[in-house]
């Protein structure tokens, strides 16, 4: 994704920011391989906010960008 096509980062402490951050945090805190539905919930939130139908990796990466989450070096594929 080029710099000109990137969506605008979300403003901290807004409803959208808090929604994305909360769901992202749930995904990142769960153990690798856990099947708790957190990825699906994040994907659904991203779709509801107008970011289209994303797979779990794209949803995580976009959510991390939107909330300016620090790089963690984890491969989410």
């Amino acid at each position: 994704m080029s710099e000109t096509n990137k969506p605008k980062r979300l403003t901290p402490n807004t409803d959208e920011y808090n929604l994305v951050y909360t769901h992202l945090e749930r995904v990142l805190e769960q153990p690798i391989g856990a099947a708790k539905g957190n990825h699906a919930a994040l994907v659904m939130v991203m779709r509801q906010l107008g970011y289209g139908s994303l797979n779990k990796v794209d949803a995580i990466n976009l959510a991390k960008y939107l909330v300016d989450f620090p790089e963690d070096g984890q491969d989410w594929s």
Side-chain angles (χ1 to χ4, degrees):
M1 182 181 302
S2 73
E3 288 297 318
T4 57
N5 292 335
K6 282 190 175 183
K8 184 179 174 189
R9 291 190 197 266
L10 299 175
T11 303
N13 299 318
T14 61
D15 289 342
E16 283 186 348
Y17 179 96
N18 292 336
L19 184 64
V20 170
Y21 194 92
T22 298
H23 281 83
L24 175 62
E25 206 170 39
R26 289 179 186 161
V27 168
L28 298 179
E29 288 177 350
Q30 76 184 22
I32 303 268
K36 296 183 178 183
N38 292 329
H39 288 93
L42 177 62
V43 168
M44 184 177 298
V45 163
M46 299 304 281
R47 186 178 321 130
Q48 289 172 346
L49 294 176
Y51 295 105
S53 183
L54 304 170
N55 63 41
K56 71 177 186 175
V57 174
D58 290 340
I60 291 169
N61 290 331
L62 179 57
K64 287 170 70 176
Y65 171 78
L66 292 173
V67 300
D68 201 16
F69 201 85
E71 288 296 319
D72 60 5
Q74 176 67 41
D75 177 12
W76 295 104
S77 54

